[in-house]
Amino acid sequence: MKFLDELAGTSLHASNLIKAIVLRIMGWSLMIDLESWVLTYLTLLMIPYFIAFLLYLVRILKGPTLSDRVLAVDALGYDLAAFMTMLTILVRSPIIIVCSVVLILWIFSLDIYVAKYLEAKELGG
Amino acid sequence: MMDYVDLVFLMMGITAVISVSFTFLAVKTKDLMHAVIFSSVQSIAYALVYFLLMAPDIVLVYVAVSVGIYPLILILVVKRVGRFEVTA
Amino acid sequence: MASLLEWTLVLVGQALITVGVFCDLVASISMLRFPNFYTRLHAATVGSIGGAFVPIVGVALVAAGSEFLGVYRWFLSGASLVIAFVELLLAGAGSHALARATHRSRAAPVQPVIVDQLEEDRGKGEV
Amino acid sequence: MDIELVKFMFILTVMSLYLNFAITLYGVVAKVNLVKKLIALTILQDTVNVFTVLIGYRLWRPGLILQPPALTDMNPTPEIIKDFVERSVDPLPQAFVLTAIVIGLAVTLFLTTIVLHVNYHFKTVNVDEIGGMKRRYIHEEAV
Amino acid sequence: MKRLFKSLIPTLLSFLIYVIYTGSLRVYDIVTGLVVAAVVGALTSSLIIEDWRKSLDVRRLAHLLKFAVRYFLIDEVRAHMLVIKLGLSPKLGLRPAIVKMPIKTRNDYGITLVSLSITNTPGTVVVDLNKEKGNIYVHWIYATTTVPEESYREVSEVFDEYALRIFE
Amino acid sequence: MNDLSVGLTTVLPTVVAFLLPLLTLRFKSRALYASITTATTLAVWLLTLVNFMKVFKGEVLTYAFGGWPPPLGIVYVVDMLNGVLGFLAATLFLLASVYTFWYFGRIESGHEWLSTLTLVLLSGVLGCLYTGDLFNFFVMLEVLSISSYALVAFFRRRKWAIEASMAYSFIGALATMLFFFGVIFIYASFGTVNMADLITKAHAIPELGSNPLERWSGTCPGSWCYGNVFISSALAIAFMLWALNFEAGIFPNNYWMPSAYAESPTPASALFAGIVDKVGTYGVLRLFITVFTAYGSTLMFSVGGFPFRDFVLIVLSTLGLVTGYLGALLMFPQRNVKRLLTYSTISHIGIIFTAFSAFLSHVSPEASAEALAGVMLHMVTHAFGEFLLFVGLGTLSVVVGSTNLARMSGLRGRYPLLIASIILGFLSLLGVIPLAGFFSKYVIFTALINAGLPVHGISIVLISGISALGYFKVIYTLMVSEGSGVTPRETRLYIPTGITVLLAALLIILGVLLTQSSFINPLMEHSRELMSVNGLLKYVDAVNNLSTLLGGA
Amino acid sequence: MLRDIIFVTLLIIIALALSYLTYLGGLGDLPPQDIRLIARSYLNLTYNQGVNWLWAASPEAVTAIVWDYRGLDTLFETVVFYGAILAALTVFRGVSKLPDRIVSVGLSVVVKRTMAIVTLAILTVAASTALHGHLTPGGGFQGGAIASVAPLLLIVVFGKQLFVEKKVSYNKLLTLRNASLGLLSLSTVALLIYGLATNEIGYIFQNQAKALSTLSYPSHMLDVPLGGTLFFLNVFEFLAVTSGFTLVFTLLLSSEEVILKEFEGEEYGY
C-alpha cells in the first residue's frame, strides 16, 4: 500500500515510474534474505522429487522386460543427477557438484551396454 | 517447518532401505541380466548415500566403477555364459 | 546484499527448477501408466529433458546468483552447464540406441500400435 | 531439527547395511552360479565401504553446516582452519574406502577373467557341476 | 598443416569445456587447460572432424545457434505440453505408431542432428534409420497421420532443413 | 632409528615390477628376465639380512614413510618375529628366482609374467610381514593374494588350474573383505589403525603410560574410547582371524589349498608352501602376542568367568589339531606328488596352530616363550623342507612329464644327489634326529608338555607318526621301486640339484647348530622377550621415539 | 534346499548379533557426535602453513591422505590394480598377439557421432578432475576412472576395429602404462635419491620438508597450491589407470572365436 502511495505522490512520468519500481524491488531484496529464500524453496522441492524417484523404482520393480527396466534406471539416473545439483546448493558445498557429472557420464553407458547386448553377437563387435 | 538436515537423514534412511530390497532381488532373480540391472540400481542408491555422507571423492570413483565398469564386465560374462541361471 | 541481477538470476532459475520438478513427476507417473516400452520411451524423454536438463540449467542460474555459496559457485555453475550440454547429447543417443536394439531383437512387444512401418520394411529386407 | 528422527534414520541405515551384508554373504557362499557369486561379492564390497564412510560421519548441529574434507580457501588463516576442522567430516575412512574400492575393482576384474575361463573350459558356471567333475577327476587320479 | 586445422575446432571446444567446468580463470587453469585441450583435440580430431573446411565455416555455426534457440523455445515446449497432457489425461488417448519418414540430409552429422532433435522432443523417438535411402523410422506417440511424406512435414521437416543448412 | 633397509624392501621389487614389462617389449631373452628377478631378490635379500642382523642384536627397527610421525603416516616395524620371517622369505625368493634360470626353459610362454608376478608376490609378502599398520596389512594381503591367484592360474590351458584359481580367488576375495571389515571396527572404536598406537590403547599397563602417539590420536580411558572397545575388539578379531585362517589354510578353509598348490608352476608352489601360508600364521601370532596380549588387553574381558582371548585361542588350537590330523590322514592316498606335499603343508600348519594353545593366559610365561621359539623354528625348518621338496619333486615332475608318483620311480641312479637331498628333506619334515625338523617339533612338544597340555603335545607326535606313512611311500618309490620305463627328458639338472643340496645342507647345519646351547639360548632369550611386557614396551617405544623425533617442535 | 535354510538361519543370526553388538556400543554413538582425534589432526595439518614441517600443501584432505600421509597404501593399491591387469594379461597371453578378425558393425550412426563428441567432453572433464585433484575432490584414480569410460564406450559403440584403425596397439598401451607407473614410483623416491646423493636426509614418499629434512617438492605452482608430489602422482596415476583399463578391456572384449582358438590343446609344464 505504501508503495502505491509513493507512486501516487510522484508525477506519472515513465522514467520516474521505472525508477520507482527498480528502487522498490531493490528495497524488497534488502528485506528478504536471499539465502534463506533459496534454501527454503529448494527444501520444499526435494519432496516431489523424491516421490518421483519412488515411482520410477516401482517401474523398475515391475519390469516386465529388460528394456523397460533399463529405461527406468536411465530416467532415474538423469533425474538423480539433477537432484544432486540441487542438493549441492542445499548443503552449501559447491565442490561436490562433480558427483553428478560422473553420474551423467556413466548412466548412459548402461543403455549402450544393454543395447549392444541385445543387438550384437559380440560385445566388442 | 522441516529442516533440511532432517531431510538429508530421511533420504539416507529411505535409500538404504531401498538398497536392501534391490540387493535381495539381485541375489534372488534367476535372470542374470535383470540381476545386473538390479545391482546397478543398488549401486546408484549407494552413490546417493555417499553423496549425502559428504564423500565426493568416493562418488567419483564409485559411480565410475560400479555403475560403469561392473555392468560392462557382468554383461560381458552373461553374454558368454548364457542369460538364465540354470539350477541343477 | 543481494543485488537486482542476483535476484533475477535466482528467480528465473527457480522457475526453471519448478518446471523441472513438475516434468519429473509427470514423467514418473506416465512411466507407470503408459502401456508398453515404446510409449514409455516418451515418458523417459520428458524425464530426461524436462526433468533433468531444465532444472540443471536452473541450478546453474541459481548458483550464479547465490553469493553465499562462496567463490566456488562459479565452479558449480560452470559444471552444471557442462552437465546440461552432455546430458542433452547422451539422453537422446541412449534412448535411440535402446529403442533400436529392442526393436531389432524383439525384446519388448510393440503392441499397441496403429502401424509398424519398420517391421514391414524389415520384412521386405529394406532395413 | 528433530534429533529422534535423525537417530532413527541413521540407525536404520546401519541396520540396512547389516542386512545387505548378510544377504550378500549368503549370495557369495550359497549361490551355485558363479556370475551370481560375482554380483553378490561386488555388493558385499560396496556395503563394507559404505559402512566405513558411515563411521566417519558426524551429527549436524544447528548452525553447523557440514562440508566435505576439502578446504576452499587457498590462503587460510588459523580461524578458517579451526572452522574447517569443526565442520568437516572424517577424511580417513574416505581415504580407506578409496583404496578399498580400487582393490575391489581389481579383484573383480581378475574374477571376471577367471569366470570366463571356467566357462571356456567347463562349458558351465555352476559350481556344483564343476565340483562333481572335480571329485571324479581326483578319484581317477588317486586310483 | 591439415592436421592442425583439423584439430582446431576440437581443441577450442575442449578448452571451452575445461574452462567452464573449472569455473575459474587462474593462471594454472588456463595453462593446464591449453595443454589438455591441445592433447585432447589432437587425439579426438580424427574421430570428430570429417571435413575441416566445413568445421571452420562461421555461417554454419550461426545457423546452429539459431537452430538451438528455436529448438528450445518452440519445439521442446510444444512437445512437452503434448506429452504431459497425454500422461495426465484420465483416459490415455494414445495413438502410437512407427512411421517411416524420408529425410533429405545424407551427411552423418546431419542425420545425427535430426535424429537427436526428434528423439529429444518428447512424443517422437527415432527407432531405426537407413542411411543410404535416407529413411528414419520414428515411434510417434500421437500419430496424426501414417503417410510418410505427411508425417515428415509434421515432425522432421524443420530439423531437416536446419541440418541441411548446417552440415551440407 | 629410521632404517632405510626396512623401507626399501617392498618398494624396490615394486619399482622393478613396474619397469620389467617395458623391457619385454624390446628384449625377448628369458635369461634377462631371470637375471633381473634374481638381481632384485638378491638386493632385497641383502637388505633383509641387514635387518635380521640388527634385530638379532636386540634392536627394533622402524621406518616411517614420507617422514610422517607414526599414527599419521605408515610405519614399518621389524622386531625378532618378523625379522626372521622376512629374512626367510627373501632367502626363499632368492632361491626361487635362481631356480627360474632352469625352469624358464621348460615352459612355453609367459616368462615375463611369471617374473613380474613373482616380484609382486615378494613385495606383498614382505609388506605383510614388516608393516606396523593394520590397514596397510590389508592392502599388502591383497597384493599377495592377487599375485597368488594369477600364479595359480598360470597354466591357463589346463582346466584344473583354472578351477583351482577360481576356488581360491572367490573365497579369498571374501576373506580379505572381511579382514577390512574387522579393521573398520578397530578404527571405529579405537580411532587408530596403527599397531603400536592400538597396543597402548588396548592395554591397561601402567608402564605404557602416556606416549607421543596420543598427541595425534588421543587417549583411551577405560572401556569406552569412541565406542565400546571390548565389543569391537572381539568383533574385529573374529573377522580378521577368519581371513588370516583362510590365508594359512586352517581346517574349514583348507579345501582350496591342494588344488591351488598342485596346479601352480613349481617355483610358485614352492613359495606358497614355503612362505605365503606362513603370512597368515604370522598375522595370527602378531595379533595375539603383540596387539592383544594376555597382559590386561581389551580382549581379556571374561565371558562366563573365562577370558575371551583364551576362548579364541582354544578354538584356534583345536582347529589346528583337526587340520593336522586331516592333512596327515589325507596325505597317504595321494598319487600326485604336489598334492601330497600340500597335505603335508596343511598338517604342519596344523601343528603350528596347535602350539598356540600354549599362549593361554594361565600358562607360565616360560612355557609360552618356549612354544613361541618352537613355532618360529618350525616355521623356518618347515619352510626350508617344504621348499626343497617342492623344488626337487617339481623338477622330477618336469623331467618325467607327470606329477604322478609312480612315474618317478627308478630315477635314483640318474639323479643321485637330487634324490638324496629330497629324502633328507622328507626326513627333516618327519622329524628325524640329526635334522632341523626334529628340534623344532621337539621344542614345541616340550613346551606343550610344560604348559600342561599333554593332549596337544602327544597329538604332535601322533600327527608326525601318521604323516610318516605318506612320506615313506614317496621315499620307498624313489629309493626302492624299479623304473617304470620312463626315459627322462634331461640329463643335467645343475641348478635344481644345487638348490636342493644347498637346502639339505642347511637343514643338517641348522640341526647341528640347534644342539648347541650357544645357538638355542639367544633364540629362547628373544622369544622370552617377545612374550613379555618388555617386548611389548620395546615395540611401542621404538614407534614412540620415532614419533617424537619426527613430530618436531 | 536344506543348505539354503541352514545358511539363511546362520546369516540371520550374524545380522542380529552384529546389530545387537552395535546396539551395545561397538561403534560408539550413532550418529557419531564428533570425528575422531586423528581425523582432526589430519584436517588441521593438511594445509596449515603455520606447521610447515608437518603439512601436505594440499587443501584437499582426502587426496593428501591418499597420496601423502598414507601414500604407501595407495602405491600398493596401484600395485593391486596393476597385478589384476597383469593377471588378466597372464591368463589371456597369446590372445593379444592373434589378429582379431571380428567384423565391426557397431551401433547406429547416431550413437557413433554422439559418442565422438562426448569422448572429447569426457576426456576433458577427466583431465580436469585429475589436474585439480589437489584442490577439489578428484585425483588420479578418479580422473582415470572417468577417462576410461571413453575407450570402453568407443570399443562398444564402434567395435574393436576402431582401435586397430587408429593404431592403438597393445605395445603402445603397455608402454604408456608402465612408463607412467615407472615415473610414478620414481617421483615417490626422487627426494630419497637426491638426499642420498647430496648426503642429506630424505624419505621414501617424501613430499614437503620435514622436521629432520629440508628437502621439499615445490608447494606452489603459478598461483595455486600444488601439493608437491600430489600433482605428479595424480597425473601419472591418471595415465596409468586410463591405459590399464583400455588394455584390459581390449583383451576382455576380444571375440570369443579368437580366445577359443588360443585355448586349444593342453599346456605342458609343472
Side-chain angles (χ1 to χ4, degrees):
Chain A
M1 283 298 111
K2 213 176 157 196
F3 176 48
L4 288 177
D5 291 346
E6 267 176 38
L7 269 185
T10 54
S11 58
L12 280 175
H13 196 265
S15 65
N16 276 358
L17 184 65
I18 292 169
K19 206 170 148 192
I21 291 172
V22 166
L23 278 174
R24 196 64 235 174
I25 293 174
M26 282 180 78
W28 282 344
S29 64
L30 290 176
M31 260 150 40
I32 310 172
D33 184 20
L34 185 135
E35 182 175 351
S36 59
W37 164 247
V38 169
L39 296 180
T40 316
Y41 193 76
L42 283 179
T43 311
L44 288 176
L45 283 188
M46 294 293 107
I47 297 156
Y49 243 100
F50 217 75
I51 293 169
F53 293 154
L54 295 178
L55 294 178
Y56 281 132
L57 286 174
V58 173
R59 176 46 72 198
I60 298 174
L61 287 175
K62 271 169 78 175
T65 64
L66 184 63
S67 310
D68 282 309
R69 288 195 168 136
V70 176
L71 192 67
V73 174
D74 210 32
L76 174 69
Y78 288 132
D79 289 346
L80 191 64
F83 182 69
M84 278 183 180
T85 55
M86 282 171 226
L87 220 55
T88 309
I89 294 183
L90 199 61
V91 298
R92 276 172 275 184
S93 299
I95 51 174
I96 59 181
I97 183 73
V98 285
C99 308
S100 48
V101 178
V102 278
L103 200 62
I104 285 275
L105 287 180
W106 282 102
I107 281 292
F108 148 85
S109 62
L110 200 63
D111 281 9
I112 299 295
Y113 301 152
V114 173
K116 191 86 179 183
Y117 173 85
L118 290 173
E119 195 174 315
K121 197 166 145 284
E122 288 272 353
L123 229 51
Chain B
M1 181 58 219
M2 197 163 190
D3 198 351
Y4 66 91
V5 177
D6 293 0
L7 208 68
V8 165
F9 278 91
L10 204 66
M11 281 189 281
M12 205 197 299
I14 295 172
T15 316
V17 172
I18 289 169
S19 81
V20 173
S21 61
F22 278 91
T23 311
F24 179 73
L25 282 171
V27 172
K28 193 170 164 288
T29 320
K30 293 276 182 229
D31 188 333
L32 293 174
M33 279 308 281
H34 288 216
V36 172
I37 302 295
F38 287 140
S39 83
S40 70
V41 175
Q42 196 267 348
S43 304
I44 293 172
Y46 273 1
L48 183 59
V49 174
Y50 279 130
F51 183 88
L52 295 174
L53 290 174
M54 296 280 166
D57 281 278
I58 298 170
V59 180
L60 279 174
V61 174
Y62 181 77
V63 170
V65 166
S66 65
V67 181
I69 294 173
Y70 283 166
L72 175 62
I73 56 182
L74 289 175
I75 291 174
L76 178 76
V77 173
V78 173
K79 186 87 189 171
R80 301 207 169 146
V81 163
R83 183 166 161 178
F84 292 95
E85 185 184 351
V86 187
T87 42
Chain C
M1 273 300 132
S3 74
L4 188 64
L5 178 68
E6 285 171 356
W7 270 104
T8 320
L9 283 172
V10 166
L11 289 175
V12 172
Q14 284 180 338
L16 288 180
I17 293 175
T18 319
V19 170
V21 170
F22 177 67
C23 282
D24 206 24
L25 270 176
V26 172
S28 56
I29 293 168
S30 324
M31 196 70 131
L32 283 176
R33 288 187 72 201
F34 283 173
N36 70 349
F37 166 71
Y38 295 94
T39 44
R40 279 174 210 140
L41 273 172
H42 306 294
T45 313
V46 175
S48 60
I49 302 299
F53 175 79
V54 174
I56 288 173
V57 175
V59 166
L61 295 180
V62 172
S66 308
E67 209 183 349
F68 62 91
L69 289 173
V71 192
Y72 273 87
R73 71 177 185 282
W74 299 113
F75 177 58
L76 203 172
S77 192
S80 301
L81 288 178
V82 172
I83 297 173
F85 167 68
V86 172
E87 213 246 338
L88 194 63
L89 291 176
L90 291 183
S95 306
H96 164 67
L98 199 60
R100 182 172 114 132
T102 310
H103 199 276
R104 289 198 169 187
S105 64
R106 298 186 172 76
V110 188
Q111 296 300 333
V113 72
I114 296 173
V115 59
D116 188 353
Q117 290 173 348
L118 178 57
E119 195 62 51
E120 290 162 14
D121 278 13
R122 195 166 281 153
K124 284 182 241 159
E126 281 186 11
V127 179
Chain D
M1 79 182 237
D2 185 355
I3 188 78
E4 288 303 315
L5 178 78
V6 164
K7 280 205 160 170
F8 174 74
M9 278 300 159
F10 198 83
I11 289 171
L12 187 69
T13 314
V14 175
M15 292 300 149
S16 310
L17 290 181
Y18 285 153
L19 216 57
N20 265 351
F21 181 79
I23 294 170
T24 48
L25 203 60
Y26 164 77
V28 176
V29 178
K31 282 279 167 186
V32 288
N33 190 303
L34 281 178
V35 185
K36 252 327 172 25
K37 276 182 192 254
L38 200 56
I39 292 174
L41 190 67
T42 56
I43 301 179
L44 178 74
Q45 289 165 346
D46 296 347
T47 307
V48 175
N49 292 340
V50 174
F51 183 74
T52 310
V53 181
L54 215 62
I55 295 299
Y57 204 53
R58 67 199 288 180
L59 190 61
W60 295 31
R61 284 193 294 276
L64 174 87
I65 305 153
L66 278 201
Q67 71 172 72
L71 200 56
T72 47
D73 199 313
M74 293 299 151
N75 292 305
T77 56
E79 289 75 42
I80 290 179
I81 290 179
K82 195 156 169 279
D83 183 50
F84 171 58
V85 174
E86 286 307 318
R87 286 170 50 189
S88 172
V89 295
D90 196 341
L92 190 58
Q94 298 196 12
F96 286 165
V97 168
L98 214 53
T99 310
I101 286 179
V102 179
I103 287 174
L105 168 69
V107 171
T108 313
L109 268 179
F110 176 75
L111 292 179
T112 315
T113 56
I114 281 296
V115 174
L116 287 177
H117 280 72
V118 166
N119 189 42
Y120 296 140
H121 284 295
F122 295 91
K123 307 292 172 218
T124 175
V125 285
N126 190 322
V127 279
D128 278 357
E129 286 175 31
I130 296 170
M133 288 185 211
K134 189 181 174 185
R135 263 192 295 281
R136 249 171 288 149
Y137 164 72
I138 288 178
H139 187 70
E140 280 164 22
E141 195 189 59
V143 175
Chain E
M1 206 59 208
K2 202 181 134 205
R3 283 189 68 162
L4 188 74
F5 278 125
K6 215 176 162 183
S7 62
L8 199 60
I9 286 291
T11 308
L12 274 176
L13 189 59
S14 169
F15 184 67
L16 198 67
I17 292 176
Y18 191 95
V19 168
I20 293 176
Y21 179 72
T22 311
S24 66
L25 287 169
R26 290 170 299 209
V27 183
Y28 175 82
D29 300 326
I30 305 276
V31 170
T32 53
L34 283 174
V35 174
V36 166
V39 174
V40 172
L43 278 177
T44 54
S45 63
S46 63
L47 265 180
I48 294 178
I49 303 294
E50 286 163 341
D51 185 351
W52 63 266
R53 283 182 192 80
K54 270 192 205 171
S55 76
L56 291 178
D57 191 341
V58 183
R59 268 173 309 166
R60 293 172 192 272
L61 200 68
H63 279 300
L64 186 62
L65 285 177
K66 211 165 109 191
F67 172 68
V69 171
R70 187 214 138 91
Y71 178 71
F72 287 119
L73 292 186
I74 300 173
D75 298 326
E76 281 287 357
V77 174
R78 214 165 49 197
H80 271 91
M81 302 280 254
L82 175 76
V83 175
I84 288 171
K85 212 163 69 192
L86 281 178
L88 290 182
S89 62
K91 202 166 119 261
L92 280 179
L94 305 183
R95 283 172 57 81
I98 299 181
V99 189
K100 179 160 85 174
M101 297 177 193
I103 54 170
K104 296 199 190 86
T105 174
R106 291 290 184 280
N107 176 290
D108 272 6
Y109 274 108
I111 293 176
T112 308
L113 182 71
V114 173
S115 309
L116 278 186
S117 308
I118 293 175
T119 310
N120 272 342
T121 45
T124 44
V125 172
V126 176
V127 177
D128 211 335
L129 53 93
N130 186 337
K131 199 181 143 192
E132 283 73 36
K133 293 190 177 167
N135 288 335
I136 54 175
Y137 297 86
V138 177
H139 188 275
W140 195 358
I141 198 166
Y142 196 80
T144 49
T145 169
T146 56
V147 183
E149 282 71 28
E150 280 180 27
S151 51
Y152 169 73
R153 238 168 286 132
E154 285 270 317
V155 175
S156 49
E157 188 168 26
V158 188
F159 308 138
D160 199 19
E161 276 171 7
Y162 272 103
L164 280 175
R165 268 186 244 162
I166 296 168
F167 289 111
E168 290 288 330
Chain F
M1 212 66 234
N2 222 2
D3 300 270
L4 193 58
S5 59
V6 176
L8 274 180
T9 45
T10 52
V11 176
L12 191 65
T14 307
V15 174
V16 179
F18 282 161
L19 295 176
L20 187 63
L22 282 180
L23 289 176
T24 66
L25 296 177
R26 281 297 304 226
F27 308 100
K28 300 286 177 198
S29 155
R30 291 172 206 155
L32 179 72
Y33 312 146
S35 5
I36 289 174
T37 322
T38 313
T40 317
T41 41
L42 186 65
V44 174
W45 184 77
L46 287 174
L47 292 173
T48 51
L49 180 64
V50 171
N51 296 341
F52 178 66
M53 302 287 249
K54 283 186 187 162
V55 293
F56 201 75
K57 278 188 215 133
E59 288 180 49
V60 174
L61 309 180
T62 49
Y63 190 80
F65 283 89
W68 292 109
L72 293 180
I74 291 168
V75 62
Y76 275 6
V77 187
V78 184
D79 63 356
M80 185 62 188
L81 183 60
N82 49 12
V84 172
L85 285 177
F87 181 55
L88 174 69
T91 314
L92 296 187
F93 271 93
L94 181 60
L95 291 175
S97 39
V98 171
Y99 180 67
T100 52
F101 276 107
W102 178 81
Y103 186 72
F104 273 179
R106 276 78 195 163
I107 50 175
E108 291 164 10
S109 60
H111 310 91
E112 65 270 38
W113 306 127
L114 193 56
S115 300
T116 320
L117 284 171
T118 313
L119 287 174
V120 173
L121 185 65
L122 173 61
S123 57
V125 168
L126 283 176
C128 275
L129 293 176
Y130 278 179
T131 189
D133 191 286
L134 280 176
F135 187 75
N136 194 243
F137 192 94
F138 159 71
V139 175
M140 301 316 290
L141 204 60
E142 285 283 6
V143 174
L144 182 153
S145 319
I146 200 131
S147 46
S148 314
Y149 307 152
L151 283 171
V152 172
F154 185 77
F155 294 122
R156 82 279 191 218
R157 280 183 198 158
R158 224 191 283 149
K159 63 171 157 183
W160 298 113
I162 295 294
E163 193 272 343
S165 181
M166 184 264 290
Y168 182 13
S169 55
F170 264 93
I171 303 299
L174 182 64
T176 42
M177 223 0 100
L178 291 187
F179 189 89
F180 178 48
F181 202 42
V183 174
I184 290 315
F185 276 103
I186 294 274
Y187 178 72
S189 169
F190 288 95
T192 183
V193 286
N194 188 289
M195 280 192 208
D197 203 4
L198 189 58
I199 291 168
T200 55
K201 286 189 171 36
H203 285 79
I205 310 177
E207 291 95 317
L208 283 170
S210 76
N211 65 66
L213 297 171
E214 285 167 356
R215 181 178 160 197
W216 309 112
S217 62
T219 52
C220 250
S223 68
W224 190 272
C225 196
Y226 294 94
N228 191 328
V229 288
F230 298 120
I231 289 174
S232 68
S233 35
L235 271 175
I237 211 88
F239 284 118
M240 277 149 70
L241 276 185
W242 199 73
L244 293 172
N245 281 359
F246 173 82
E247 290 298 327
I250 284 300
F251 165 57
N253 303 319
N254 62 356
Y255 51 88
W256 57 273
M257 274 178 98
S259 301
Y261 286 18
E263 297 293 341
S264 46
T266 296
S269 24
L271 287 175
F272 289 160
I275 191 70
V276 174
D277 57 351
K278 306 289 187 303
V279 170
T281 319
Y282 162 77
V284 179
L285 271 179
R286 182 54 90 196
L287 280 181
F288 277 106
I289 70 169
T290 314
V291 179
F292 293 112
T293 60
Y295 304 106
S297 71
T298 49
L299 215 56
M300 288 297 284
F301 67 92
S302 75
V303 180
F306 200 66
F308 185 75
R309 180 175 175 274
D310 287 7
F311 178 72
V312 177
L313 278 174
I314 286 172
V315 171
L316 275 182
S317 58
T318 315
L319 288 178
L321 269 183
V322 175
T323 316
Y325 280 114
L326 200 74
L329 283 171
L330 285 173
M331 199 195 308
F332 183 67
Q334 303 302 324
R335 303 278 170 95
N336 182 334
V337 278
K338 278 187 167 182
R339 207 173 276 273
L340 187 142
L341 288 178
T342 314
Y343 279 109
S344 146
T345 308
I346 291 174
S347 84
H348 279 271
I349 293 288
I351 289 175
I352 290 174
F353 269 71
T354 309
F356 286 179
S357 57
F359 301 147
L360 293 173
S361 56
H362 59 76
V363 172
S364 71
E366 192 58 28
S368 299
E370 206 180 350
L372 181 63
V375 165
M376 278 159 65
L377 258 183
H378 197 67
M379 281 198 205
V380 175
T381 55
H382 170 248
F384 281 148
E386 206 75 54
F387 190 87
L388 187 164
L389 290 175
F390 264 107
V391 166
L393 289 173
T395 308
L396 286 185
S397 313
V398 173
V399 165
V400 300
S402 162
T403 47
N404 195 332
L405 182 59
R407 303 271 297 260
M408 289 177 196
S409 54
L411 293 175
R412 64 180 186 278
R414 203 176 259 273
Y415 312 116
L417 270 176
L418 187 65
I419 302 271
S421 49
I422 287 173
I423 287 165
L424 275 177
F426 271 122
L427 294 179
S428 167
L429 279 190
L430 181 58
V432 172
I433 280 209
L435 293 162
F438 167 75
F439 294 99
S440 58
K441 275 188 186 173
Y442 178 72
V443 174
I444 294 179
F445 175 74
T446 48
L448 287 175
I449 296 293
N450 288 343
L453 298 157
V455 178
H456 291 78
I458 290 166
S459 290
I460 288 177
V461 181
L462 276 179
I463 291 170
S464 302
I466 298 171
S467 54
L469 288 175
Y471 292 150
F472 277 120
K473 187 174 93 174
V474 186
I475 294 175
Y476 177 83
T477 316
L478 289 177
M479 282 298 288
V480 184
S481 292
E482 283 311 311
S484 58
V486 180
T487 35
R489 303 183 194 186
E490 316 193 20
T491 48
R492 285 167 300 192
L493 300 173
Y494 293 136
I495 293 173
T497 313
I499 289 170
T500 48
V501 169
L502 178 69
L503 281 171
L506 261 178
L507 283 175
I508 295 172
I509 293 167
L510 206 59
V512 172
L513 280 178
L514 284 174
T515 56
Q516 309 295 316
S517 58
S518 60
F519 187 80
I520 194 98
N521 282 347
L523 191 71
M524 291 301 290
E525 203 53 50
H526 276 296
S527 71
R528 222 168 275 141
E529 193 186 74
L530 280 174
M531 283 306 297
S532 68
V533 183
N534 269 342
L536 210 64
L537 289 178
K538 219 167 139 184
Y539 189 95
V540 175
D541 279 346
V543 182
N544 274 344
N545 292 341
L546 193 66
S547 184
T548 323
L549 196 69
L550 295 172
Chain G
M1 203 57 227
L2 184 69
R3 187 170 66 169
D4 276 14
I5 291 166
I6 292 169
F7 274 125
V8 166
T9 36
L10 208 66
L11 289 167
I12 288 173
I13 290 168
I14 287 178
L16 284 180
L18 274 176
S19 312
Y20 182 63
L21 292 175
T22 312
Y23 169 74
L24 287 182
L27 295 173
D29 298 329
L30 290 176
Q33 297 291 335
D34 205 348
I35 51 175
R36 285 156 185 76
L37 205 75
I38 194 162
R40 282 178 171 269
S41 309
Y42 282 125
L43 293 171
N44 248 324
L45 292 175
T46 176
Y47 195 68
N48 194 345
Q49 274 159 328
V51 201
N52 67 359
W53 66 95
L54 279 174
W55 75 321
S58 156
E60 229 272 274
V62 178
T63 309
I65 293 175
V66 160
W67 276 120
D68 195 3
Y69 291 97
R70 302 186 67 88
L72 193 74
D73 275 349
T74 315
L75 177 70
F76 282 105
E77 166 224 292
T78 312
V79 174
V80 175
F81 187 65
Y82 176 74
I85 293 173
L86 208 63
L89 292 177
T90 309
V91 291
F92 275 110
R93 63 176 184 270
V95 174
S96 62
K97 291 181 186 75
L98 291 175
D100 206 341
R101 279 194 305 278
I102 202 164
V103 183
S104 291
V105 190
L107 292 169
S108 83
V109 64
V110 177
V111 186
K112 281 183 181 171
R113 288 295 109 208
T114 314
M115 197 53 226
I117 299 172
V118 172
T119 302
L120 185 140
I122 289 173
L123 288 179
T124 312
V125 166
S128 175
T129 307
L131 287 172
H132 289 85
H134 51 283
L135 301 175
T136 54
F141 195 87
Q142 288 93 326
I146 298 172
S148 60
V149 67
L152 301 196
L153 284 176
L154 283 178
I155 295 174
V156 174
V157 169
F158 284 85
K160 253 193 92 180
Q161 209 64 36
L162 179 81
F163 277 22
V164 180
E165 282 162 15
K166 300 284 177 222
K167 300 195 176 58
V168 183
S169 66
Y170 168 80
N171 282 4
K172 276 183 192 166
L173 286 172
L174 195 78
T175 313
L176 179 61
R177 181 187 64 140
N178 284 80
S180 34
L181 284 174
L183 286 171
L184 191 152
S185 47
L186 190 70
S187 52
T188 63
V189 293
L191 285 189
L192 172 74
I193 294 168
Y194 183 78
L196 288 177
T198 56
N199 207 11
E200 281 184 66
I201 296 178
Y203 304 100
I204 303 175
F205 264 104
Q206 189 175 356
N207 180 1
Q208 299 298 312
K210 291 282 154 7
L212 303 180
S213 162
T214 53
L215 301 179
S216 168
Y217 272 93
S219 64
H220 284 76
M221 184 165 80
L222 302 173
D223 53 351
V224 292
L226 185 67
T229 40
L230 302 188
F231 172 78
F232 301 104
L233 292 171
N234 276 336
V235 172
F236 296 137
E237 174 87 354
F238 169 65
L239 292 175
V241 168
T242 313
S243 46
F245 267 123
T246 315
L247 193 62
V248 72
F249 278 101
T250 40
L251 274 184
L252 278 177
L253 291 167
S254 322
S255 66
E256 201 162 359
E257 194 188 343
V258 173
I259 296 174
L260 284 178
K261 194 189 283 165
E262 178 58 27
F263 281 89
E264 282 164 11
E266 189 77 0
E267 189 148 357
Y268 166 70
Y270 296 97

